[in-house]
Amino acid sequence: MTRRPRRDLLAGLTVAIVALPLALGFGISSGMGAEAGLATAVVAGALAAVFGGSGLQVSGPTGAMTVVLVPIMAQHGAPGVLTVGVLAGLMLIALALAKAGKYMALVPAPVVEGFTIGIACVIGLQQVPAALGVPTPEGEKVVVVAWEAVRDFAARPQWWAVGIALAVAAIMIVGARWWPTVPFSLLAVAAATVAVALADLPVSTIGELPAGLPAPSIGFIDPAALSSLIAPAIAVAALAGLESLLSAAVADGMSVNHKHDPDRELFGQGLANLVSPMFGGVPATGAIARTAVNVRSGASSRLASLAHAGILAVIVYTAAGLVAKIPLAALAGVLLATAVRMVEVGSVKAMVRSTRGDAVVLVLTAIATLALDLVQAVILGLLVAGALALRSIARNVRLDAMPIHDDLTGDHTDQELDLLAEHIVAYRLDGPLFFAAAHRFLLELSEVAHVSVVILRMSRVTTIDASGALVLGDAIARLRHRGITVYVSGIRNGHHKPLRALGVIERLAEEGRVFATTPEAIAAARDHLHHKGVIPATTG
């Protein structure tokens, strides 16, 4: 229970003021209408606040989710969007029960940053029709839709809409820089609404809204369409989980002694997405901007985010008539400013300058987000980041020729040491021997020449997979084919299993050529060369 209820309630009021225009704007941008955005903020916001894993998280409709919903709306209509929300909710609950929350934190920072930049661009492009005061053209690709809107505007300019959108965006951006605690979004929207009403300006408004939430229903579900909605639902669930856990982590970083439970957060978001469509709401996620406002406003418990949902519910039931008069261009201005503020220029510059790989991942993810869809963009970013990481790890794998003098036991003359060194070479393997590094290892080891014995020292091999084991076996077979005797030493516990399972050291073990230590292997190699008459027996 909160110890500072007054402060939490004040924080909830502040977040509600910020959330109102965003909920309206994102609802309209998704194609479901302003009422869907409000229903999402109220229902999903309340359920995620109570059942989620973060005491500071604020949930509701977001720009990233809107980007995913637009093509779903175009292909399947409103029933499809609502059904996808229910399916995604079930998937999130399943992920929570499977304890998958911790794996969401493995997404690399350049992927998240590029993803955010791409989303900001898409949100900005989505606002072009409303900002220009023209009807939204048909289409799924935001770049094409924005271009068609510009052409329509050129044929029939609507300068009042442009002026309102730019003024609202400018007030938000400039105001936030100088007075970050003031809710300029609501003030700018209110001022634009009053100006349009008094001057009777020819701009489109939200229009009539229902005074309250609809009765819960699942009548929108069409069993015949479920199979075609599985893929979109997976995309929505992945985005909801990723964005919510990222937002919860941001809240942890902004607060003191607060840590979210990722699996409970997935459960709360799943329940929110399961129930919200029954009231006409769109799929929801944790909202980073609203969560940040909540923390900065002094929130210390779930009461703040629950109060935010309650205040929005009051607005839905008591002020629907006033909300209906808000100009669409004003909401477009709010979302344009939001898109601009989503991009942290300093963070992007730092990441681009850090390494070439980070820069490549960031740029590719951003472009893919704009050109493809969000989930495909994240998958592409993860694949590229993973490939670059594997390349970096593979470069650290070393195969070094080691002097054998220090490993020999007993007294040896310089002549004996020279004879041994002429016929025995010891190689130390450092690092992971896995598929990304195995080919280079094979090439290096296969070039060994002018020796009778090769000792492979494996005590510093950190991991070995099937590919690495097979390549090791191939290298040993090639050396044996050339008449070179191979000994192996220092295999770590846990590495015997893949080597034996794939038959890599089975023959060597049968021949007594696998040893725990390198001196033992050298002693065996020396005896082998003595019996072959390559070197004389040690005297002493």
Side-chain angles (χ1 to χ4, degrees), residues 363-450:
V363 172
L364 278 179
T365 305
I367 294 174
T369 302
L370 190 59
L372 304 173
D373 67 45
L374 302 196
V375 176
Q376 289 177 340
V378 170
I379 292 173
L380 177 63
L382 288 173
L383 290 175
V384 174
L388 292 174
L390 288 175
R391 187 184 70 168
S392 177
I393 294 172
R395 284 178 172 177
N396 292 328
V397 179
R398 297 200 313 274
L399 182 69
D400 299 325
M402 306 301 296
I404 65 170
H405 300 75
D406 297 336
D407 292 308
L408 286 170
T409 58
D411 296 325
H412 297 271
T413 65
D414 291 341
Q415 184 180 11
E416 288 171 336
L417 291 173
D418 291 340
L419 282 171
L420 289 170
E422 286 178 9
H423 295 280
I424 302 174
V425 62
Y427 281 96
R428 187 176 70 195
L429 282 68
D430 271 327
L433 185 59
F434 69 131
F435 69 93
H439 181 66
R440 185 163 61 87
F441 160 78
L442 174 62
L443 292 178
E444 290 185 30
L445 194 56
S446 297
E447 292 175 358
V448 175
H450 309 302

Side-chain angles (χ1 to χ4, degrees), residues 119-146:
I119 289 171
C121 292
V122 173
I123 292 172
L125 290 170
Q126 283 180 339
Q127 308 318 307
V128 171
L132 297 180
V134 299
T136 302
E138 295 290 330
E140 297 179 22
K141 298 296 182 182
V142 289
V143 176
V144 176
V145 171

Side-chain angles (χ1 to χ4, degrees), residues 200-243:
D200 195 21
L201 298 179
V203 295
S204 300
T205 60
I206 288 178
E208 185 176 353
L209 291 173
L213 296 175
S217 170
I218 57 171
F220 53 82
I221 295 179
D222 179 8
L226 290 179
S227 59
S228 63
L229 296 173
I230 295 296
I234 293 173
V236 168
L239 176 60
L242 178 63
E243 189 173 11

Side-chain angles (χ1 to χ4, degrees), residues 164-185:
I164 291 170
L166 293 179
V168 169
I171 289 171
M172 284 182 62
I173 293 171
V174 175
R177 176 170 296 181
W178 293 101
W179 299 282
T181 59
V182 178
F184 282 101
S185 58

Side-chain angles (χ1 to χ4, degrees), residues 48 195 257 322 384 506 526:
N257 298 326
L322 293 175
V384 174
E506 186 175 3
R526 185 183 61 206

